[in-house]
Amino acid sequence: ETRLRMISLLAEFGPMPVNELSARVVLSQPLISWHLRILRLAGLLDTTRQGRATICRLRTAAFEELHEAEERLIRFVAGPGGVVVPDLARKLPGRGMWVAADRASVETAARKGLFSRSAKAKLSASPDLADQVDSLLRRRVLDGLGLAKRAGDLISGYEKVAAALNAGRAAWVIEAADGAQDGRRKILNVARKSPRAPKLLGLYSNEELGLALGGENVIHTAFLAGRGADQWTFDVHRLSGFRPLLPLRPRQELLRPG
């Protein structure tokens, strides 16, 4: 996790001297040098001399590959009593244990005691840990829609969604899973002609969407393209490892899922 912190700092602030990086992560010079050596060997950063200073900088291509790989992981930590706890926001204290964001990987890690092996300590992983992650991610994605609504990144209603699709402004189309087939077919036909092909989510009921977005009869919704949509997509991709995003009949799946 120290090396992840170092990478995050270099990604956010750009190249910096070793002594500044050491101060930011609160490590001694020998320890920072050891971590830097590992990152150099992994091809993630370079160091160069500028006068008396040693400057660290990320290798952009390698960092992008690492970032893409990290997005496909779930972080877990040891909670009270040594119980394994999902940390979807990646903010809980303690040493992180990382598992691929899919049901089979989490179930295998829990069943085979891989968390204990990673932590080098006796930990307890619930047999339904994958179900816990699924439920938490499902809630997190829905809550993200509510935040997007308040930020002005979400629009609802057939006419507004169709206009956003025609203008190529929609990154996602969110359809109520229990909405009328005729209305869904019409909006998806519009989406197919959009200059920007949107992704499709059909996971939540009309009632769930209405409660999350503070409205009634929420059937057609679009998440407008932008930074908010990119961040939300990160959680949707993780959720897709635990359940299908399109619990719709095959002939209705006219767009690509997330």
Side-chain angles (χ1 to χ4, degrees), residues 90-111:
R90 302 177 175 182
K91 294 181 179 180
L92 293 178
R95 182 175 182 271
M97 297 165 285
W98 301 82
V99 180
D102 63 78
R103 180 174 293 276
S105 296
V106 175
E107 288 176 344
T108 299
R111 184 175 66 254

Side-chain angles (χ1 to χ4, degrees), residues 14-226:
M16 68 176 65
V18 170
N19 61 346
E20 181 181 346
L21 184 60
S22 176
R24 286 179 178 268
V25 295
V26 195
L27 285 179
S28 65
Q29 191 68 37
L31 274 177
I32 198 76
S33 297
W34 180 71
H35 286 296
L36 287 173
R37 179 175 179 274
I38 292 174
L39 291 173
R40 282 198 303 270
L41 290 173
L44 294 173
L45 62 74
D46 291 314
T47 55
T48 55
R49 295 287 297 183
Q50 288 187 10
R52 294 185 177 182
T54 299
I55 307 299
C56 305
R57 57 173 47 84
L58 285 178
R59 291 183 178 176
T60 305
F63 170 71
E64 289 176 351
E65 291 178 4
L66 178 67
H67 183 67
E68 290 176 1
E70 184 186 356
E71 285 189 347
R72 296 189 289 270
L73 299 174
I74 300 286
R75 183 178 187 262
F76 296 85
V77 297
V83 175
V84 176
V85 178
D87 177 22
L88 301 183
R90 302 177 175 182
K91 294 181 179 180
L92 293 178
R95 182 175 182 271
M97 297 165 285
W98 301 82
V99 180
D102 63 78
R103 180 174 293 276
S105 296
V106 175
E107 288 176 344
T108 299
R111 184 175 66 254
K112 294 190 174 183
L114 301 184
F115 292 107
S116 295
R117 189 181 306 174
S118 174
K120 298 180 180 178
K122 181 63 175 177
L123 299 180
S124 173
S126 173
D128 70 345
L129 186 60
D131 290 332
Q132 293 178 31
V133 175
D134 177 18
S135 179
L136 289 170
L137 277 172
R138 190 180 188 281
R139 182 74 246 176
R140 184 178 175 89
V141 168
L142 186 60
D143 289 344
L145 290 176
L147 292 173
K149 177 71 173 180
R150 291 190 286 275
D153 293 332
L154 216 67
I155 56 174
S156 298
Y158 180 88
E159 297 297 335
K160 292 181 180 179
V161 172
L165 288 168
N166 288 328
R169 297 174 58 223
W172 283 84
V173 172
I174 298 101
E175 285 288 295
D178 54 354
Q181 298 295 327
D182 184 57
R184 179 182 300 140
R185 183 164 50 251
K186 289 179 179 178
I187 201 69
L188 294 187
N189 282 336
V190 175
R192 292 178 67 186
K193 301 173 184 177
S194 174
R196 177 193 181 112
K199 297 179 181 179
L200 176 64
L201 180 71
L203 186 59
Y204 301 103
S205 69
N206 173 21
E207 182 180 4
E208 289 176 306
L209 291 172
L211 288 172
L213 305 183
E216 295 181 0
N217 199 32
V218 180
I219 304 296
H220 312 291
T221 301
F223 205 136
L224 302 180

